Amino acid sequence: MLSSKIAQNTWPEVRRKGTCATLLSKRMPPLAYPVYSHFLCQPSLSIAYVRKASTTSQRPKRDESTASKQESDPPSVVVPVASANAFICRCLEKVGADPKHAKQMADVLIMGDTRGHFSHGLNRLDMYVNDLKGGRCRSKGEPKIVKEGASTALVDGQNLLGGVVGKFAMDTAIRKAKESGVGWVSAYGSNHYGIAGYYGLQAVAQGLIGISVTNTSPLCVPTRAKQNTLGTNPICFAAPGRNGDSFVLDMATTTVAIGKVELAMRKCQNIPEVWGVDKTGKPSTDPKKVYEEGGLLPLGGSEETGGYKGYGLNMMVEILCGILADAAFGPHVRSWNKPEGEARLGQGFIAVDPSHFAEGFQDRLQSFIDIMRHLPASDLFKPVLAPGDPERVHVAKCEKLGGIPYHQNQFDHAKELAQNLGVAPMEAKG
């Protein structure tokens, strides 16, 4: 009886109460309410449904294999957001970054971590520091518009930090969208810019649809090939719903971003074989072989499982970035493992004002999102989510914890970086 009622349950809304998040549901069955047993930066979120005044035998059992895996993981180190942000600024400023640029880049990285994309947050700080120290990225200056139309612009990133270039370009796209309905900006001479979602959410904050794409160093082995030729080439599409809700698709066009492979190496964990291949082009579960010798597979994995579609999407992003902006593209982008010279990345930023089209966009989008969330789940512990929901839950987790939960190895790595640079380390929550 309980199971049938739970099957009717809806995706809980995250409503803030003070500094914590209270999880409520519009159509929650009277016998059950959701308790989040754990929060992960993964698409699947375990939910334990507990019946009020019920016996243990009436409750659905959680997957013990998943539970034992979680229990074997070392405890996280919680770092207040302000502490992590200030640490990133100190590191970047130490190697010459303009304080304003350091803050812009720190905001991007912190958003990556608070949204659960740890591969694109603090984990990326090393790369920015080394690029600045090595003179491969400029520490001073401002991006500039070199060509402009009523709804378009071409931006020279001046080889500045990617977060600085990205914010400038999306701000320009937003301004043009408010004036003409659509703003499309291409940028060249840029660098790694963090999570693509940061820029899509810039537009959403203004009530606009936001799209952002970037090319990257060659890390992806195209379908039927065995050599890295394409980047992870992520896409973000974000759109505003009602009452702060939104649709936020933020994904690589490879099966995963390379940062997830890096994190697996740091945690000494194996990876799924659909993530990447070794130097012979064969799938591998060894993150070191994939990272140092092989490469990532396109979204979808092998050709038999639809990887050729991810390969096509990956090339599409490359056309919108490297080709359209006349930046480096494909195999001509500098190496990831042995970076030499400027990155010369190309990026795209699009903002669209829905009010220039049919009225009621946000209402229809909210209805669409809610339909997806209210679908009966095939697994009671994994409710149907909309893109952006896992990130929203992770943000709520950070608020509840009072900071960002970093893996012990990540925290130790940051402490080592602080020692090498001679700056004060991050301070964990007391």
Side-chain angles (χ1 to χ4, degrees):
M1 182 71 174
L2 177 62
S3 297
S4 64
K5 288 180 178 294
I6 293 174
Q8 301 170 16
N9 182 34
T10 69
W11 170 247
E13 293 181 285
V14 177
R15 295 179 182 172
R16 307 192 190 288
K17 185 177 182 181
T19 58
C20 299
T22 301
L23 301 169
L24 304 169
S25 178
K26 290 179 180 178
R27 294 164 45 203
M28 183 63 63
L31 296 178
Y33 62 91
V35 176
Y36 283 78
S37 58
H38 70 287
F39 300 87
L40 297 174
C41 53
Q42 299 173 351
S44 60
L45 302 171
S46 291
I47 297 180
Y49 286 94
V50 184
R51 185 186 180 210
K52 293 180 180 179
S54 66
T55 63
T56 303
S57 61
Q58 291 175 300
R59 302 171 189 167
K61 296 180 180 179
R62 66 173 178 165
D63 186 337
E64 291 303 325
S65 63
T66 301
S68 61
K69 178 182 182 301
Q70 293 159 8
E71 289 160 5
S72 66
D73 286 340
S76 299
V77 180
V78 177
V79 179
V81 169
S83 175
N85 194 300
F87 171 69
I88 293 172
C89 288
R90 287 196 297 274
C91 290
L92 294 176
E93 289 178 38
K94 182 70 175 183
V95 291
D98 181 300
K100 183 180 72 172
H101 292 179
K103 184 63 171 69
Q104 288 177 341
M105 198 71 245
D107 289 346
V108 177
L109 299 185
I110 290 301
M111 177 180 279
D113 285 339
T114 56
R115 290 180 69 78
H117 295 289
F118 289 103
S119 60
H120 281 59
L122 182 65
N123 186 59
R124 279 283 153 265
L125 182 56
D126 262 358
M127 179 180 66
Y128 300 124
V129 165
N130 291 331
D131 276 352
L132 287 167
K133 282 177 64 177
R136 294 184 294 272
C137 174
R138 288 183 62 198
S139 58
K140 301 290 192 297
E142 296 297 332
K144 64 178 182 179
I145 297 174
V146 295
K147 189 176 183 179
E148 189 171 16
S151 59
T152 62
L154 178 63
V155 169
D156 179 353
Q158 299 283 300
N159 193 31
L160 294 164
L161 287 166
V164 175
V165 179
K167 185 177 186 306
F168 176 87
M170 183 51 91
D171 282 343
T172 302
I174 290 171
R175 172 171 56 81
K176 290 183 174 294
K178 289 183 175 181
E179 294 170 353
S180 63
V182 176
W184 186 319
V185 178
S186 288
Y188 64 90
S190 190
N191 286 279
H192 189 282
Y193 72 173
I195 59 169
Y198 181 89
Y199 310 100
L201 286 169
Q202 268 187 258
V204 167
Q206 300 292 320
L208 309 176
I209 295 171
I211 302 171
S212 180
V213 288
T214 181
N215 64 4
T216 77
S217 297
L219 293 164
C220 175
V221 178
T223 302
R224 299 189 180 182
K226 60 179 182 180
Q227 177 183 344
N228 285 333
T229 312
L230 297 166
T232 56
N233 293 10
I235 300 171
C236 171
F237 178 96
R242 284 297 181 192
N243 301 317
D245 203 355
S246 56
F247 173 100
V248 186
L249 176 66
D250 184 1
M251 68 176 205
T253 50
T254 48
T255 49
V256 293
I258 193 64
K260 294 188 184 297
V261 178
E262 286 180 291
L263 287 178
M265 285 198 299
R266 289 183 182 175
K267 296 178 182 179
C268 301
Q269 297 174 342
N270 285 336
I271 60 175
E273 65 176 16
V274 295
W275 282 17
V277 296
D278 59 22
K279 62 183 178 182
T280 68
K282 297 294 187 287
S284 175
T285 60
D286 185 338
K288 188 171 182 179
K289 288 184 178 179
V290 172
Y291 185 81
E292 296 182 355
E293 303 171 1
L296 300 173
L297 283 168
L299 186 63
S302 66
E303 183 174 5
E304 291 73 23
T305 56
Y308 61 91
K309 298 177 183 178
Y311 169 38
L313 280 173
N314 192 300
M315 287 190 68
M316 179 194 77
V317 172
E318 192 66 73
I319 293 168
L320 293 174
C321 296
I323 305 297
L324 188 62
D326 191 18
F329 61 88
H332 304 303
V333 181
R334 74 176 184 188
S335 168
W336 179 262
N337 291 333
K338 298 178 181 178
E340 296 179 359
E342 299 178 2
R344 298 179 53 234
L345 296 186
Q347 291 153 354
F349 305 86
I350 304 170
V352 179
D353 186 348
S355 70
H356 283 249
F357 299 88
E359 294 296 325
F361 171 82
Q362 291 184 329
D363 291 333
R364 289 192 301 277
L365 175 59
Q366 193 62 55
S367 175
F368 183 34
I369 293 173
D370 289 341
I371 287 171
M372 296 299 108
R373 290 171 176 159
H374 295 170
L375 292 173
S378 61
D379 184 330
L380 297 182
F381 290 88
K382 296 179 180 178
V384 179
L385 307 179
D389 283 345
E391 290 86 348
R392 193 172 291 109
V393 170
H394 196 273
V395 169
K397 176 188 178 181
C398 291
E399 291 181 355
K400 183 176 181 180
L401 290 174
I404 303 167
Y406 288 112
H407 189 279
Q408 182 67 55
N409 290 2
Q410 266 193 296
F411 183 78
D412 291 343
H413 187 75
K415 185 183 297 184
E416 182 181 341
L417 177 62
Q419 291 174 344
N420 292 338
L421 292 177
V423 301
M426 287 193 305
E427 295 181 6
K429 186 178 178 183

